[in-house]
């Protein structure tokens, strides 16, 4: 199946919301990690989301000039070709983009998609994220309103992060403290500034103690039940039941119970990066340790081309990451739900 059209992406999100499941959103940094994500979705019989962060896009752009737009555009074009060979629908998304990188990342990509739509094509990406969590809420929502109008015109969904997620991702960091919890007032101000779909669809990354990175159980206090308070608080004012499509950030290491509570309260997308990075790298290290004398030319020997050929360890890495993606689909209840 091809990359999801705007209509299919909206249907995917609607089905997730109604069915109380969510799609894993897998960060990729190469064509190989892209294939791992697609394979994981296919083996789980789940549609899904592939996303590229600013750092991932810079890496994809090549170390010679490190251009984010080039990297993101190149991988998206590649994905539009290879995704046709996988029996699932996949949406392309750009991950966290702070204010200082909007002009070098999201705005140019929006312009590329608008030009495509003007020619009667579908957008290059199906959604983009604006991370204004480092700004005041007013400035955050002012910029979000501007980007939402541009996104809607290009048939793209916008993701907004209105309050901080702890930890660090691509150079944006926040302390782990009591500010990591979105309030009903924050949600009401968001609804007032962006509407509830009539000005364009958006996904909301609300904070309920989420932290980027990897932590041992007990180090992060998640309160996914808070999302129900946000839904109800805005519903009482707007009259719209369950008005938000929530995104779960900083989900690595979350318990199945925490994930289940988040799904019950409107989460339709959950980001995975830390766990899939490890799942990709672990088989490579194992391969190198098991084939030390072949991977390296030790004591003047010539090594073994069969084991230092990137394809030998690359296949193992792809399989390892794909398995972790499939597990995520199971945890998020999206396994077996693909659109036919």
């Amino acid at each position: 199946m091809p990359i999801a059209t705007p209509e299919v992406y909206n249907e995917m999100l609607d089905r997730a919301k109604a069915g109380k499941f969510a799609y894993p959103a897998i960060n990729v940094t190469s064509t190989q990690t892209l294939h791992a994500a697609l394979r994981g979705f296919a083996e789980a019989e789940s549609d899904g989301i592939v996303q590229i962060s600013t750092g991932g896009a810079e890496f994809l752009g090549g170390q010679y000039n490190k251009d984010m737009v080039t990297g993101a555009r190149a991988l998206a074009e590649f994905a539009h070709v290879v995704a046709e060979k996988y029996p699932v629908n996949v949406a392309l998304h750009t991950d966290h983009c702070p204010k200082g990188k909007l002009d070098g990342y999201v705005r140019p990509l929006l312009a590329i998609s608008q030009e495509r739509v003007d020619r009667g094509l579908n957008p290059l990406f199906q959604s983009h994220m604006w991370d204004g969590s480092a700004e005041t809420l007013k400035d955050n929502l002012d910029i979000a309103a501007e980007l939402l109008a541009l996104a809607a015109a290009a048939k793209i969904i916008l993701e907004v992060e209105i309050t901080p997620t702890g930890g660090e991702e691509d150079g944006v960091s926040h302390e782990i403290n009591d500010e990591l919890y979105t309030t009903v007032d924050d949600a009401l101000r968001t609804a007032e500034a962006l509407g509830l779909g009539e000005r364009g669809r958006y996904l909301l990354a609300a904070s309920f103690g989420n932290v980027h990175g990897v932590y041992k159980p007990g180090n992060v206090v998640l309160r996914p039940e808070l999302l129900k308070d946000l839904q109800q608080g805005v519903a009482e004012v707007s009259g719209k039941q369950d008005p938000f499509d929530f995104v779960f950030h900083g989900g690595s290491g979350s318990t199945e119970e925490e994930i289940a509570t988040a799904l019950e309260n409107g989460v339709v997308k959950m980001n995975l990066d830390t766990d899939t990075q490890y799942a990709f790298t672990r088989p490579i290290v194992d391969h190198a340790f098991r084939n030390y004398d072949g991977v390296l030319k030790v004591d003047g020997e010539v090594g073994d081309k069969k084991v230092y050929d990137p394809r030998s360890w690359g296949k193992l890495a792809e399989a390892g990451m794909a398995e972790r993606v499939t597990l995520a689909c199971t945890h998020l209840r999206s396994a077996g739900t693909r659109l036919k």
Side-chain angles (χ1 to χ4, degrees):
M1 296 182 187
I3 295 295
T5 64
E7 294 77 18
V8 167
Y9 191 27
N10 276 283
E11 184 179 356
M12 285 168 56
L13 296 173
D14 288 343
R15 290 177 74 246
K17 184 81 167 285
K20 296 189 181 302
F21 64 88
Y23 297 106
I26 308 300
N27 282 73
V28 299
T29 55
S30 65
T31 57
Q32 192 163 26
T33 52
L34 169 66
H35 274 296
L38 295 173
R39 176 177 168 181
F41 292 138
E43 292 178 350
E45 297 186 351
S46 169
D47 300 319
I49 300 168
V50 167
Q51 58 189 26
I52 309 168
S53 68
T54 55
E58 182 181 271
F59 180 78
L60 280 157
Q63 300 309 289
Y64 183 73
N65 57 30
K66 301 181 180 181
D67 182 70
M68 293 185 293
V69 173
T70 296
R73 184 177 187 179
L75 193 76
E77 295 282 8
F78 182 84
H80 275 264
V81 175
V82 299
E84 293 183 358
K85 302 300 181 181
Y86 292 87
V88 290
N89 298 284
V90 178
L92 300 178
H93 175 78
T94 59
D95 201 9
H96 292 268
C97 183
K99 183 177 180 179
K101 295 183 178 180
L102 281 174
D103 288 342
Y105 195 48
V106 167
R107 286 195 175 105
L109 291 173
L110 280 168
I112 289 170
S113 283
Q114 184 63 63
E115 188 273 335
R116 288 171 60 99
V117 169
D118 290 344
R119 291 190 286 117
L121 303 175
N122 287 318
L124 185 61
F125 282 86
Q126 287 65 60
S127 53
H128 292 293
M129 182 184 179
W130 151 236
D131 182 355
S133 59
E135 314 301 322
T136 65
L137 185 57
K138 180 184 183 305
D139 289 346
N140 183 341
L141 293 174
D142 285 347
I143 294 172
E146 172 216 338
L147 294 172
L148 182 61
L150 294 172
K155 301 182 179 181
I156 288 170
I157 294 171
L158 185 70
E159 179 181 332
V160 295
E161 182 167 340
I162 56 171
T163 44
T165 294
E168 188 273 335
E169 178 154 331
D170 275 353
V172 178
S173 61
H174 296 289
E175 292 183 8
I176 302 173
N177 55 36
D178 290 341
E179 293 183 6
L180 303 183
Y181 301 94
T182 302
T183 66
V184 172
D185 183 64
D186 296 331
L188 287 168
R189 290 176 64 184
T190 299
E192 181 180 2
L194 304 182
L196 292 173
E198 70 276 7
R199 301 174 212 171
R201 188 169 192 169
Y202 61 92
L203 307 176
L204 182 61
S207 304
F208 50 95
N210 320 59
V211 177
H212 290 129
V214 59
Y215 296 87
K216 291 183 178 180
N219 284 29
V220 177
V221 181
L222 289 177
R223 293 171 48 201
E225 66 277 4
L226 173 68
L227 298 177
K228 183 177 181 180
D229 297 336
L230 303 183
Q231 297 277 34
Q232 291 180 339
V234 173
E236 289 173 2
V237 174
S238 67
K240 184 174 182 178
Q241 189 69 21
D242 294 331
F244 294 121
D245 300 326
F246 286 123
V247 180
F248 191 154
H249 282 246
S252 296
S254 301
T255 67
E256 291 188 42
E257 291 77 14
E258 290 166 337
I259 292 172
T261 301
L263 297 178
E264 291 295 324
N265 293 321
V267 165
V268 297
K269 172 179 180 281
M270 178 173 167
N271 292 7
L272 273 90
D273 190 14
T274 302
D275 287 355
T276 50
Q277 286 179 345
Y278 181 80
F280 184 84
T281 301
R282 178 65 180 81
I284 300 174
V285 176
D286 181 71
H287 175 81
F289 283 167
R290 290 177 183 274
N291 299 281
Y292 184 83
D293 290 349
V295 172
L296 299 179
K297 297 180 179 181
V298 178
D299 296 332
E301 295 297 327
V302 296
D304 183 350
K305 183 180 185 300
K306 291 182 180 179
V307 297
Y308 63 71
D309 183 335
R311 290 170 293 185
S312 64
W313 48 261
K315 292 175 183 177
L316 299 172
E318 179 186 311
M321 181 172 164
E323 182 178 1
R324 183 62 183 86
V325 172
T326 296
L327 179 62
C329 294
T330 300
H331 288 165
L332 295 179
R333 307 174 184 166
S334 69
T337 67
R338 69 180 176 89
L339 285 166
K340 306 297 184 182

